[in-house]
Amino acid sequence: MTKAVSGFSKLSKEEKINWIADTHFSNPDEAIKTIKKYWNSDAELQKLHDEFIENTITNFYLPLGVAPNFLINGKNYTIPMAIEESSVVAAASKAAKFWSNRGGFKATVLSSEKIGQVHFMFNGKKETLEQFFENVKPKFFSATQSITKNMQKRGGGILDIELRDKTTELENYYQLHATFETKDSMGANFINSCLEQFAKTLKEEALQFQSFSEEEKNIQVVMSILSNYVPNCIVRVEVSCPISDLKEDKHISQEEFAEKFVRAVKIAEVEPFRAVTHNKGIMNGIDAVVLATGNDFRAVEAGVHAYAARNGKYSSLSHATAENDIFTFWMEIPLALGTVGGLTNLHPLVKMAMEMLGNPSAHELMQIVAVAGLAQNFAALRSLTTTGIQQGHMKMHLMNILNQFNATEQERKQVVSHFEKNTVSHSAVVDYLEALRK
Ligand code: MEV
């Protein structure tokens, strides 16, 4: 077992690497070589990456792919996607092409409100607390003026602050529940700064409030933090076409495809085990674009899954109908995204991704990201209800297997050609490669 280390963060990068190599690896030189192989030769760029987090030792690569031909609200986009899963970009591109010939994707931002809360404990009369809150409410706004000034210039700011009684769930527990508009920024820093000031004002003003008893004056703030659950920051995306236009696969009629597809979505609506995988497919598209555009995919994941369970049972995010000869497939999801601040102005590849998308506003980015999710879901369901998922997936995975076995160019060509007509499986590829090498 490795011994604990003290003062690690104060060591130089080189010292950190040496310590890790010496204490965790049977071949320290090899470990150092691998770590350094991924350093960028541009020292300034490397420094930028080193400083994103603490204790950086190297860079961790993910492929950045692009999915072209996304027609969204009549505008054509090439969407950047950072993801390691073999078939995701190919599936997105295929779905984009399919729908670009059928009117494209329609996307609308329905709302863009963010939420933050000051959680506090108050031991006393609720009515006196309510009276106090109404009294000090304007002070929450005035005390945060230096923080909100710039946001207000951009059309954003604090929308409202409510006092919420949560004492039936936890003794003495109340909240300041605040809503915000943060325009093109995701708003985490802005919201958290406002909340911390609210907390300060809350405590200070309570001490001065005449109607409070000594105990009531002593408000205990537990924490002040934004919520990643944003059910009022919603984007809607949709595709639709006449059922007769759904023809793609020679083995299945348009009507049968529409019926199977709608049923597959219905299953995800009623069955949580299926819904989680169904939604995971949506997140394949969403996370890849969120990551490529420097946004916080953990925040998006947390918020989206909470939304999928908002009615008390985890369910599908997307929905489909085939009625009156029209196939419609849509979803509404919460997405708190930013196109300014955070990594967006800092990471050169994020800047490039943003430019590729035409430097979108946060609303436009919400639409693009949601479209990538719906496209991914469409591609997955199309495969699942027709050929099955493995055919396309293993075709893409073939390259990973070939790399794993260090296949030569010649071997690659032979293997790819062989598996155009044969089913790809890990063992089938290995067997075929071994036979070739004999
Ligand atoms: C794989 O990453 C995603 C799928 O499982 C999604 C789905 O089942 O709908 C194919």
Side-chain angles (χ1 to χ4, degrees), residues 102-161:
R102 291 162 178 83
F105 293 82
K106 311 274 177 298
T108 327
V109 172
L110 302 179
S111 50
S112 57
E113 183 187 281
K114 314 278 170 62
I115 292 165
Q117 299 167 318
V118 177
H119 306 269
F120 67 93
M121 310 314 271
F122 171 79
N123 191 1
K125 274 213 217 79
K126 181 184 167 185
E127 295 69 30
T128 327
L129 180 65
E130 282 169 343
Q131 196 193 343
F132 163 73
F133 175 72
E134 285 314 318
N135 243 278
V136 296
K137 194 171 169 181
K139 293 208 170 119
F140 291 127
F141 288 88
S142 57
T144 44
Q145 240 160 30
S146 63
I147 309 167
T148 55
K149 202 169 65 200
N150 280 338
M151 189 59 87
Q152 276 167 344
K153 273 193 208 140
R154 293 196 271 133
I158 304 160
L159 300 177
D160 196 15
I161 309 166

Side-chain angles (χ1 to χ4, degrees), residues 294-308:
N295 275 279
D296 182 343
F297 66 93
R298 288 86 55 208
V300 167
E301 282 279 345
V304 167
H305 294 296
Y307 189 74

Side-chain angles (χ1 to χ4, degrees), residues 85 274 277-278 280-281 284 377 380-381 384 389:
E85 192 174 322
R274 172 56 202 152
T277 315
H278 178 97
K280 188 271 183 186
N284 276 345
N377 193 209
L381 291 177
L384 286 168
I389 204 77

